[in-house]
Structure formats: C-alpha cells, structure tokens
Amino acid sequence: MTSSDVTGSVQASADPVDTRLMLAGGCEEAAAVLGVAVSTGATLPFSVVRLLARVQNDLYDISARVRAVARGDDPPVELSDVYVDRVDRAVEHYEAMLAPAVVAALPGGTHTGASLHHARTVVFRAERAARVVGADPLIIRYLVALEVLVVVLARLANAEHGDTDWQPGLSGRLDEVELWEPLPEGWGP
C-alpha cells in the first residue's frame, strides 16, 4: 500500500495492516476475475459455474477473516482443512476429464479460458501477499490449491480449442524462423 503527504509525495507503507489488506483485496480481486470468467463462459458446464460461485464465497471468507484480524477483531468465519480438501477434490475431478498436460498451457484459447488463466495470476498474486504477511498456512494452502484448480478449469474451457503448450527456449532454437512464420514440422503451433 502507499500513502501520500501534503506535497503529493507517495511513499510505500510498511504497516502490516496495509499488507494484510493487500491480501484481502487480492482475494476479492480474484473473486471478481472469476466472476468475469463465469459471465463470459457461456459454454461452462453448470457444475463449473456452481463451483466458481462457491470458490468466490471462499475467497470472501478469507478476505473477511484477514480484514478482521488486521483490525484486531474476532474473525467472522473460521477456516478449516475442509476448504482446501474441497478444492483438491475438485482438481482431481476435473483433471480426470483432461489429457495430461505436457509442460504448461499458455494463457489463451477461448475467452473463458483466457479469463480463467487471468484469474490464476490474480490468485498467485494473493498467494504471494499471503506469504509476505505470514498469513495462516491454511490460507496459503487454499490459494495454492485454487491456483491449480483454476489452471485445470482453464484447460477444460479450452478443451475443444486445445492447449497451446509452453515450449521452453523455442525462440532460441529457431533463430532462422521469424515469429510470424510457421514452425518446422513437429515443432508445435
């Protein structure tokens, strides 16, 4: 977080309350981006829409807890291993519907798939904030599991389109092929 003085000078704040609020805001931002994915995901199965609504609720539970602790209040909700276990089971359930990932899928594909990949980066940022503030390890475990789930759901949303696999060092190996030219046979997209 930042603060400014009367001269307009902006300075970073080291206040631990501010950094906890960054975590709370990150969880709410992740919930919002998941909402965008749902609103644009006309092809998402209803079970995924229901799952994402429940995840949004979980993220607000985490945010409410973090905000209350930052204020010195009693948290309005207690988190438990059930939160993480449910996400882990969802990963297993939806991952079983997909071919194994080769390396990593690049963001893109369908609009919904791209929105879910975007949501993954927001969840990752919230996880980093959780680590910086020394949040409850359960919150960190939840965010790590959620990041995996969102990647799985992005791949599911792109199932008809197919994944665009990350190819480490591709440009370095293809110095004779321009970015806009087709790749040699067997090199991917």
Side-chain angles (χ1 to χ4, degrees):
M1 301 289 283
T2 59
S3 61
S4 61
D5 61 21
V6 292
T7 66
S9 172
V10 177
Q11 300 171 350
S13 171
D15 183 346
V17 172
D18 282 351
T19 55
R20 286 191 298 259
L21 293 178
M22 285 175 33
L23 168 58
C27 289
E28 292 174 18
E29 183 183 5
V33 174
L34 289 170
V36 170
V38 167
S39 73
T40 62
T43 60
L44 284 176
F46 184 71
S47 63
V48 173
V49 173
R50 180 177 32 235
L51 174 153
L52 290 174
R54 290 176 181 165
V55 164
Q56 287 175 298
N57 196 82
D58 291 353
L59 289 165
Y60 267 74
D61 284 353
I62 293 169
S63 176
R65 181 174 179 75
V66 169
R67 287 176 186 277
V69 169
R71 289 189 308 265
D73 296 341
D74 289 332
V77 65
E78 288 299 320
L79 304 176
S80 70
D81 287 332
V82 170
Y83 282 74
V84 178
D85 294 344
R86 287 166 47 104
V87 173
D88 285 341
R89 287 193 306 270
V91 168
E92 291 174 11
H93 175 77
Y94 288 101
E95 203 167 42
M97 298 177 188
L98 298 167
V102 177
V103 179
L106 296 175
T110 64
H111 189 161
T112 303
S115 292
L116 287 165
H117 277 291
H118 179 205
R120 184 209 56 87
T121 66
V122 175
V123 171
F124 182 60
R125 189 169 57 242
E127 178 212 333
R128 286 192 318 262
R131 291 180 189 280
V132 167
V133 301
D136 179 342
L138 185 65
I139 291 173
I140 295 170
R141 285 181 35 231
Y142 180 87
L143 293 171
V144 168
L146 180 57
E147 184 182 355
V148 173
L149 176 60
V150 174
V151 168
V152 168
L153 295 177
R155 292 187 62 227
L156 184 67
N158 288 337
E160 286 185 33
H161 180 276
D163 290 329
T164 301
D165 293 330
W166 173 45
Q167 299 179 43
L170 179 66
S171 286
R173 295 187 313 243
L174 293 173
D175 62 341
E176 300 296 318
V177 178
E178 297 298 338
L179 289 173
W180 61 88
E181 295 177 337
L183 293 175
E185 189 68 31
W187 281 84

